[in-house]
């Protein structure tokens, strides 16, 4: 398909009607459900504000107490005061400072030298030159003695932390001297036996220029602190079901808010994340169908999916949302899944029903339940289990009574699973019998009753909406295929031959459709009603000509063809009159496709009539679904085998197999199956299943094989 064709298709009326409109409708309904849920829980919490009520834990939870963990890590890191190392460059720096000070006193100030206090410079300049030199020499001896002593001993205390980032320009970096450092310096000064005034001058100068012999290694200290932080365990708290998370009136911290969201409590903030997730699921729903169907082009199936109309899809999804919304407000989360699963399998083929169940499940989690992790996990497991079990249990519905038994059994099974889920979440379960009734009995009783009652209510009300939403449930199909239905009773009385033929086609349809996983109820009902148009002119069809001659012998070929072809249009008129569903009417319109009545055309040509070939073709359309295409094959094959059997040409199994191969090849060569997606493998399975079913029908006829040529035209002529 070219890009221009795709562009036109995207903006075509059909695309807007069958894809855009239903998708937008689902989006609007989903947003309304989400807004309703949000407004009904408007008393939700908000981080940083006061809790509007007391919140209890719904399920057991082990979580990290971030506040306590941060406090513990900070305390442990701060306990590391500093990593003390020997400062090997301290002695050299002090000698440099003293040299700079000596030059400053001599008026020879060095550029870039550190700045010394003016008062100290003035005091030293006031001294005599000899006294000043003696003090400077003494300061060098004391500093050298200090570093010598400290190199031979270990400091018992950590020195003060150095400034981070270094000194500013024109200033020297200083570190605080400890009491131990000061004592060593003073002791060395005292050994010089200087006058008290000189001792004081010398002490003040040395305290100003001295650096401790030991310092704190900042990078190594930070590494040690980080190592301590990583080695400390996190503080974990455990919440049991029923424990108080936060009481009313207490502030909702960020940690509490996370726990409340995990437990499924609703925040008063608008749930934008839920809206985004639900919108994505709804918009991509048609792609899910295409993936399931195996199609590459998403546009090929926007009008419907395997006979499943958008009305049916929308109905099942919205009904699932509604049932789960009511269930969640009644305190029985998950009870609305059973009605949704049952309705899906009643209204559509199994593969697509399973897909819709998953869509309802996931979208309901975001729209109805919220972002509760515990509820999400429960619903995912529960929903997948329900969809999977429904795939096998709800496959064949024989009657409403049969459906009732299956629904009751499923509801009981799902209730037991709910009990197990509650126990797994950490709630105490008590099955004590007495009054008042225990909480477990009340909750499980409500869960069981809700599933059964709502499912029963939907199945009772479903016939009222089927025609308007394009739904054809299994129960409706069973009613239509019952012999007591008005049209079938009319066929029994007025066209018994056609009725018997329809019953045989119905039997074949059931047998073959089981091999292809096609809806057996739909195939059987379509087979029963595909020839109801023969009620208007029953004697024009050979199966109803019992004991009389063939009326076509005295008619012109064109008129005979017109009368036979008319049974399709007349069948559609009867179907409309009796209110048959659209899907059943499709079997009537498509079971002949646009096949050609070659027998009457050749007869007219032999009689010299000038006729148009189109006059001898059925109006169609060609089969548009797998179901109607399968019925065409069954109808033509059964008619050919029946005709050959009456003429004695069906004597062996090989004869039946040859007829099947010829009919199939004929339909393919006439392009009657071009609009359906049968694979070669499926065609092989159809032939095998059809052979098996026909063998059981004609097993009593055992005759010798008659070797005579089988003409392909005879098959086409005897289809009717």
């Amino acid at each position: 398909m070219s890009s221009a064709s795709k562009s036109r298709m995207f903006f075509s009326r059909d695309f807007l009607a069958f894809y855009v409109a239903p998708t937008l409708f689902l989006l609007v309904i989903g947003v309304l459900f989400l807004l309703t849920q949000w407004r009904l829980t408007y008393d939700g919490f908000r981080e940083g504000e006061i809790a509007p009520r007391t919140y209890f834990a719904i399920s057991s939870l082990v979580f990290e107490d971030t506040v306590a963990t941060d406090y513990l890590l900070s305390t442990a890191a701060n306990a590391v005061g500093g990593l003390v190392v020997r400062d090997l460059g301290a002695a050299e720096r002090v000698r440099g400072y003293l040299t700079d000070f000596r030059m400053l006193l001599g008026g020879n100030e060095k550029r870039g030298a550190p700045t010394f206090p003016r008062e100290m410079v003035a005091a030293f300049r006031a001294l005599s030159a000899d006294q000043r030199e003696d003090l400077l020499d003494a300061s060098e001896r004391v500093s050298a003695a200090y570093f010598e002593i400290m190199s031979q001993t270990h400091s018992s205390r950590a020195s003060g932390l150095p400034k981070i980032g270094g000194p500013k320009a024109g200033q020297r970096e200083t570190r605080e001297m400890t009491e131990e450092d000061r004592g060593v310096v003073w002791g060395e000064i005292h050994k010089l036996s200087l006058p008290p005034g000189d001792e004081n001058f010398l002490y003040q100068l040395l305290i100003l220029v001295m650096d401790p012999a030991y310092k704190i290694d900042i990078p190594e200290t930070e590494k040690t602190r980080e190592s301590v932080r990583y080695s400390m365990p996190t503080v974990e708290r455990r919440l049991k079901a029923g424990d108080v998370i936060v009481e009313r009136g207490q502030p909702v911290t960020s940690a509490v808010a996370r726990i409340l969201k995990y437990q499924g409590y609703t925040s008063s903030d608008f749930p934008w994340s839920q809206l985004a997730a639900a919108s994505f699921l709804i918009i991509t729903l048609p792609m899910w169908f295409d993936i399931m169907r195996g199609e590459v082009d998403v546009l090929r199936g926007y009008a419907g999916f395997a006979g499943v109309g958008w009305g049916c899809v929308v109905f099942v999804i919205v009904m699932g949302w509604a049932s789960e919304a009511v269930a969640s407000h009644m305190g029985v989360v998950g009870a609305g899944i059973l009605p949704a699963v049952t309705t899906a399998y009643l209204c559509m083929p199994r593969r697509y029903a399973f897909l819709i169940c998953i869509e309802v499940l996931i979208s309901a989690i975001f729209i109805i339940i919220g972002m509760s992790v515990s509820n999400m996990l429960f619903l995912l497991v529960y929903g997948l289990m329900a969809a999977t079990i429904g795939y096998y249990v709800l496959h064949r519905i024989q009657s409403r009574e049969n459906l009732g038994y299956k629904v009751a059994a499923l509801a009981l099974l799902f209730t037991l699973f709910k009990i197990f889920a509650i126990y797994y979440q950490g709630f105490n379960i008590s099955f004590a019998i007495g009054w008042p009734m225990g909480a477990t009995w009340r909750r499980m009783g409500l869960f069981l009753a809700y599933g059964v009652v709502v499912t029963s209510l939907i199945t009772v009300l479903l016939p009222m909406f089927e025609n308007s939403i394009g739904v054809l449930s299994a129960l409706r199909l069973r009613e239509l295929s019952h012999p007591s239905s008005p049209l079938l009773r009319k066929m029994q009385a007025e066209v018994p031959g056609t009725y018997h033929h329809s019953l045989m086609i119905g039997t074949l349809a059931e047998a073959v459709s089981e091999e292809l996983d096609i809806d057996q109820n739909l195939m059987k009902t379509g087979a029963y009603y595909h020839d109801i148009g023969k009620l208007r002119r029953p004697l024009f069809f050979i199966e109803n000509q019992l004991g009389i001659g063939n009326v076509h012998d005295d008619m012109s070929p064109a008129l005979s063809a017109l009368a036979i072809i008319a049974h399709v249009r007349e069948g559609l008129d009867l179907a409309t009159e009796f209110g048959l569903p659209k899907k059943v009417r499709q079997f009537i319109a498509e079971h002949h496709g646009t096949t050609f009545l070659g027998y009457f055309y050749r007869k007219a040509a032999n009689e010299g009539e000038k006729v148009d070939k189109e006059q001898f073709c059925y109006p169609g359309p060609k089969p548009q679904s797998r179901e109607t295409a399968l019925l065409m094959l069954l109808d033509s094959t059964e008619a050919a085998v029946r005709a050959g059997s009456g003429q004695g040409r069906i004597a062996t199994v090989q004869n039946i197999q040859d007829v099947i191969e010829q009919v199939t090849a004929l339909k393919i060569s006439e392009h009657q199956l071009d609009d359906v997606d049968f694979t070669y493998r499926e065609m092989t399975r159809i032939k095998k299943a059809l052979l098996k079913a026909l063998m059981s029908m004609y097993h009593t006829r055992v005759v010798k094989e008659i070797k005579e040529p089988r003409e392909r035209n005879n098959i086409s002529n005897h289809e009717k």
Side-chain angles (χ1 to χ4, degrees), residues 679-696:
T679 63
Y680 285 111
R681 184 177 184 180
E682 288 175 331
M683 291 298 295
T684 302
R685 293 170 62 187
I686 290 174
K687 294 174 186 177
K688 290 182 179 180
L690 187 54
L691 176 62
K692 182 179 180 181
L694 288 172
M695 286 172 55
S696 66

Side-chain angles (χ1 to χ4, degrees), residues 338-385:
L338 177 60
V341 170
T342 304
T343 307
Y345 283 107
L346 282 177
C347 297
M348 56 185 67
R350 288 197 301 170
R351 289 186 303 163
Y352 297 94
F354 182 83
L355 177 64
I356 289 298
C357 289
I358 302 303
E359 169 74 17
V360 172
L361 167 67
I362 300 177
S363 57
I365 288 176
F366 292 113
I367 294 176
I368 308 301
I369 304 302
M371 305 300 286
S372 166
V373 177
S374 57
N375 284 336
M376 286 173 64
L377 293 176
F378 164 70
L379 278 181
L380 279 175
V381 177
Y382 171 59
L384 287 173
M385 181 189 72

Side-chain angles (χ1 to χ4, degrees), residues 412 415-424 427-445:
L412 183 59
T415 303
L416 294 176
F417 177 80
K418 178 72 173 180
I419 294 175
F420 171 77
I422 291 176
Y423 175 77
Y424 183 78
F427 286 92
N428 294 323
I429 298 179
S430 174
F431 295 99
I433 299 177
W435 191 262
M437 188 178 296
T440 301
W441 286 107
R442 290 197 306 271
R443 186 181 302 173
M444 294 303 100

Side-chain angles (χ1 to χ4, degrees), residues 19 44 75 116 247 255 374 411 432 451 477 517 525 609 662 670 708:
Y19 176 75
T75 303
F116 293 91
E247 294 184 354
S374 57
L477 289 172
D517 196 24
T525 304
E609 296 184 15
Q662 292 176 26
E670 292 179 346
E708 64 180 49

Side-chain angles (χ1 to χ4, degrees), residues 243-258:
D243 289 349
V244 175
I245 301 175
V246 61
E247 294 184 354
R248 180 179 181 180
Q250 291 182 343
V252 179
T253 63
S254 59
V256 171
R258 286 196 298 270

Side-chain angles (χ1 to χ4, degrees), residues 367-628:
I367 294 176
I368 308 301
I369 304 302
M371 305 300 286
S372 166
V373 177
S374 57
N375 284 336
M376 286 173 64
L377 293 176
F378 164 70
L379 278 181
L380 279 175
V381 177
Y382 171 59
L384 287 173
M385 181 189 72
T388 304
I389 294 177
Y391 184 89
Y392 296 99
V393 174
L394 299 175
H395 177 37
R396 296 180 179 178
I397 304 298
Q398 305 299 330
S399 62
R400 293 186 182 274
E401 181 182 6
N402 176 254
L403 175 62
Y405 287 137
K406 291 184 176 181
V407 168
L410 288 177
L412 183 59
L413 176 64
F414 296 159
T415 303
L416 294 176
F417 177 80
K418 178 72 173 180
I419 294 175
F420 171 77
I422 291 176
Y423 175 77
Y424 183 78
Q425 288 177 317
F427 286 92
N428 294 323
I429 298 179
S430 174
F431 295 99
I433 299 177
W435 191 262
M437 188 178 296
T440 301
W441 286 107
R442 290 197 306 271
R443 186 181 302 173
M444 294 303 100
L446 183 59
F447 187 91
L448 176 64
Y450 183 90
V452 173
V453 171
V454 174
T455 304
S456 302
L457 183 63
I458 291 175
T459 55
V460 169
L461 299 178
L462 185 60
M464 300 172 57
F465 306 101
E466 285 187 352
N467 291 332
S468 58
I469 62 177
V471 171
L472 186 57
S473 66
L475 296 176
R476 175 67 171 152
L477 289 172
R478 298 295 298 184
E479 292 173 354
L480 288 173
S481 61
H482 196 274
S484 63
S485 64
L487 263 178
L488 293 184
R489 283 192 286 112
K490 187 176 179 67
M491 290 180 67
Q492 295 173 37
E494 300 180 17
V495 285
T498 299
Y499 178 72
H500 177 70
H501 162 70
S502 298
L503 291 182
M504 293 188 68
I505 299 299
T507 302
L508 288 174
E510 279 191 297
V512 178
S513 60
E514 185 175 7
E515 292 293 325
L516 299 180
D517 196 24
I518 292 177
D519 190 347
Q520 291 180 300
N521 288 323
L522 179 61
M523 282 298 306
K524 182 179 180 181
T525 304
Y528 281 2
Y529 287 92
H530 78 284
D531 271 344
I532 59 173
K534 296 179 179 180
L535 280 166
R536 295 292 173 88
R537 297 182 179 89
L539 297 180
F540 281 75
F541 302 92
I542 191 170
E543 68 266 21
N544 298 316
Q545 297 171 358
L546 302 177
I548 63 174
N550 192 335
V551 296
H552 295 288
D553 294 340
D554 301 325
M555 296 176 59
S556 69
L559 186 60
S560 295
L562 181 64
I564 290 176
I565 291 174
H567 88 277
V568 173
R569 173 180 52 80
E570 292 167 347
L572 291 173
D573 293 339
L574 278 173
T576 303
E577 178 183 345
F578 281 82
L580 293 184
K582 180 180 178 180
K583 290 184 181 179
V584 178
R585 297 200 301 268
Q586 290 173 347
F587 284 92
I588 300 172
E590 300 173 13
H591 77 281
H592 283 299
T594 58
T595 52
F596 172 57
L597 296 178
Y599 172 80
F600 291 107
Y601 178 78
R602 289 188 295 273
K603 181 179 178 181
N606 292 335
E607 293 178 0
E609 296 184 15
K610 295 182 179 181
V611 292
D612 185 5
K613 187 176 181 179
E614 296 295 329
Q615 185 179 351
F616 293 85
C617 293
Y618 282 95
K622 296 177 182 179
Q624 301 298 303
S625 67
R626 294 158 60 88
E627 290 82 4
T628 56

